[in-house]
Amino acid sequence: GQQLNQSPQSMFIQEGEDVSMNCTSSSIFNTWLWYKQDPGEGPVLLIALYKAGELTSNGRLTAQFGITRKDSFLNISASIPSDVGIYFCAGHPIFYGGSQGNLIFGKGTKLSVKP
Amino acid sequence: DVKVTQSSRYLVKRTGEKVFLECVQDMDHENMFWYRQDPGLGLRLIYFSYDVKMKEKGDIPEGYSVSREKKERFSLILESASTNQTSMYLCASSFLQSPYEQYFGPGTRLTVT
């Protein structure tokens, strides 16, 4: 089946640091999205991207839809403690046989605070 | 703000029981979805519905059924619960014109013993 490779799996942040994570696929996607999930809660939509090359910001978060349409990147600038959580990429492959709204999810990047 | 609510945060059921998970959204979304989330496997779509009484199978529909009698409510049914259905179940909803911008509920952690 379709798979998204999300990296890194986990990372530690110090307050004020910039953070980067990415998602890649062997298939071409027509939509990329980034979600954040806090412990015990459902994922919350952060950014949606619809065009190759698109760069979209939401506060300190910036995401890009890769030119090849096979990848996406999320950057968090000047991280703060409440950025801790699990970040998921998700997307819809262009030739996917699944139904409308059917998303493929990455396995997540867990952001933790450096001890 | 979009609000998606799920009937229970935690549920413990016995093997063989029939289990109902309820989801309600208040944003007049046409689409509603049921996912399960397991460590190492991520989120996987079980079923979705784009209209009242309409449903489509997702990637892992076996052992589950759904019901959508009203636009705001989408139920997931485990006909005969099994231990391998122990999981976190997440409901989501979205507008028909932006199906991928999905809003999730808080989840129901189901344990089948």
Side-chain angles (χ1 to χ4, degrees):
Chain A
Q2 298 278 354
Q3 279 196 326
L4 287 180
N5 298 310
Q6 189 171 348
S7 66
Q9 282 189 315
S10 62
M11 57 194 308
F12 288 89
I13 58 170
Q14 202 141 41
E15 189 170 350
E17 281 181 345
D18 294 345
V19 171
S20 292
M21 59 191 80
N22 70 80
C23 217
T24 60
S25 170
S26 56
S27 307
I28 294 172
F29 278 53
N30 63 13
T31 304
W32 285 99
L33 305 105
W34 287 91
Y35 286 86
K36 183 193 178 207
Q37 187 174 25
D38 291 325
E41 301 296 330
V44 172
L45 179 64
L46 300 173
I47 294 177
L49 303 156
Y50 292 99
K51 276 199 293 196
E54 182 181 352
L55 191 73
T56 297
S57 293
N58 178 3
R60 292 176 298 104
L61 277 61
T62 303
Q64 184 162 25
F65 192 140
I67 291 289
T68 65
R69 305 173 79 177
K70 293 183 178 181
D71 54 11
S72 179
F73 307 87
L74 176 70
N75 295 311
I76 305 172
S77 63
S79 56
I80 59 178
S82 62
D83 290 334
V84 161
I86 302 178
Y87 291 79
F88 291 97
C89 61
H92 185 83
I94 197 164
F95 297 118
Y96 189 46
S99 307
Q100 178 205 128
N102 200 345
L103 288 172
I104 308 296
F105 282 83
K107 297 207 174 22
T109 294
K110 185 175 180 181
L111 228 58
S112 307
V113 175
K114 264 185 198 164
Chain B
D1 266 3
V2 177
K3 194 134 171 102
V4 180
T5 55
Q6 295 184 228
S7 50
S8 307
R9 294 298 296 267
Y10 300 94
L11 213 49
V12 180
K13 295 290 180 182
R14 294 196 182 276
T15 302
E17 276 193 79
K18 191 167 185 175
V19 181
F20 292 87
L21 302 182
E22 303 281 334
C23 175
V24 177
Q25 50 92 7
D26 66 358
M27 277 301 292
D28 204 33
H29 283 166
E30 294 88 0
N31 296 328
M32 295 188 76
F33 307 83
W34 275 107
Y35 292 89
R36 64 177 282 177
Q37 184 176 27
D38 300 290
L41 296 175
L43 279 83
R44 293 177 292 166
L45 182 66
I46 304 171
Y47 266 99
F48 95 98
S49 167
Y50 54 89
D51 200 355
V52 174
K53 296 194 188 298
M54 306 305 288
K55 61 185 179 187
E56 287 203 22
K57 291 179 181 179
D59 297 320
I60 51 163
E62 296 79 20
Y64 303 95
S65 61
V66 290
S67 171
R68 193 162 179 205
E69 297 296 318
K70 291 186 177 180
K71 189 176 185 180
E72 67 272 18
R73 190 178 297 267
F74 193 34
S75 303
L76 180 71
I77 303 150
L78 286 66
E79 296 290 343
S80 176
S82 63
T83 53
N84 63 13
Q85 292 178 310
T86 291
S87 186
M88 169 73 95
Y89 289 88
L90 291 161
C91 175
S93 67
S94 69
F95 285 116
L96 203 64
Q97 64 266 33
S98 52
Y100 308 117
E101 295 179 24
Q102 297 176 15
Y103 294 85
F104 285 82
T108 296
R109 185 163 291 284
L110 173 67
T111 302
V112 182
T113 61

